[in-house]
Amino acid sequence: MHRPQKVVAYIVRDDRLVVFRHADDDAFDQSGLQVPAGTVRAGELADAAVLREAVEETGLHGLRVERYLGSSEFDMRPYADAIHVRHFYHLSVDSPEVPARWFSEERGDGDSPPIRFECYWLPLAQAHVLAAGQSALIGRLFDRS
């Protein structure tokens, strides 16, 4: 079984969480509401990967890691024969001006068209609605230790 290392970013400001939906996805039931996440590249530290993925998917700058929240596993079957080992991080954004809603693009490897995301701030109290187990460690944002 393939076990890729993944990172998940909870970007929080004023008790709100950055989420996105695939702007050009007509089948919302397949992708759902998400937070920035992605694969840790070979030789890359997870702390660096979570910042890279968050910038790539949201276009936000001035992001910083507040703390590591822990890890969990997510079984991707039947979609893929893999168990994702996910590392969750609490991030904040230092930029004073962040819109309430915006569009961003992830360019990927350059061979495929960019993926467009519609990003916005969701109240933390509603974060349980995230797709594909991405809300697994959202409760740890409320732990102060």
Side-chain angles (χ1 to χ4, degrees):
M1 176 80 55
H2 186 58
R3 298 177 59 82
Q5 298 294 304
K6 301 287 186 171
V7 289
V8 178
Y10 294 151
I11 305 170
V12 178
R13 176 185 258 178
D14 299 328
D15 292 324
R16 293 182 175 272
L17 177 71
V18 170
V19 296
F20 66 82
R21 66 174 200 82
H22 289 253
D24 300 320
D25 185 0
D26 293 332
F28 182 71
D29 57 335
Q30 289 185 32
S31 60
L33 196 60
Q34 300 178 39
V35 293
T39 302
V40 179
R41 295 175 178 162
E44 184 179 36
L45 296 174
D47 289 22
V50 74
L51 288 170
R52 176 182 50 75
E53 288 289 347
V55 170
E56 286 176 359
E57 294 181 4
T58 67
L60 293 174
H61 295 281
L63 295 172
R64 66 183 153 85
V65 173
E66 291 292 331
R67 63 189 166 124
Y68 177 69
L69 298 171
S71 65
S72 73
E73 294 184 348
F74 188 77
D75 192 334
M76 293 296 293
R77 294 174 294 178
Y79 176 75
D81 192 24
I83 295 179
H84 288 179
V85 179
R86 294 178 172 175
H87 301 277
F88 291 78
Y89 287 85
H90 172 193
L91 275 60
S92 61
V93 59
D94 291 331
S95 178
E97 295 184 28
V98 177
R101 188 175 291 263
W102 68 98
F103 287 89
S104 67
E105 288 185 347
E106 183 177 27
R107 297 271 175 203
D109 61 12
D111 292 337
S112 55
I115 301 169
R116 289 183 348 112
F117 302 119
E118 180 182 8
C119 304
Y120 61 96
W121 296 92
L122 180 76
L124 274 174
Q126 297 173 14
H128 65 281
V129 301
L130 296 174
Q134 287 188 336
S135 64
L137 299 188
I138 204 79
R140 294 193 182 171
L141 289 172
F142 301 99
D143 295 342
R144 299 296 174 204
S145 53

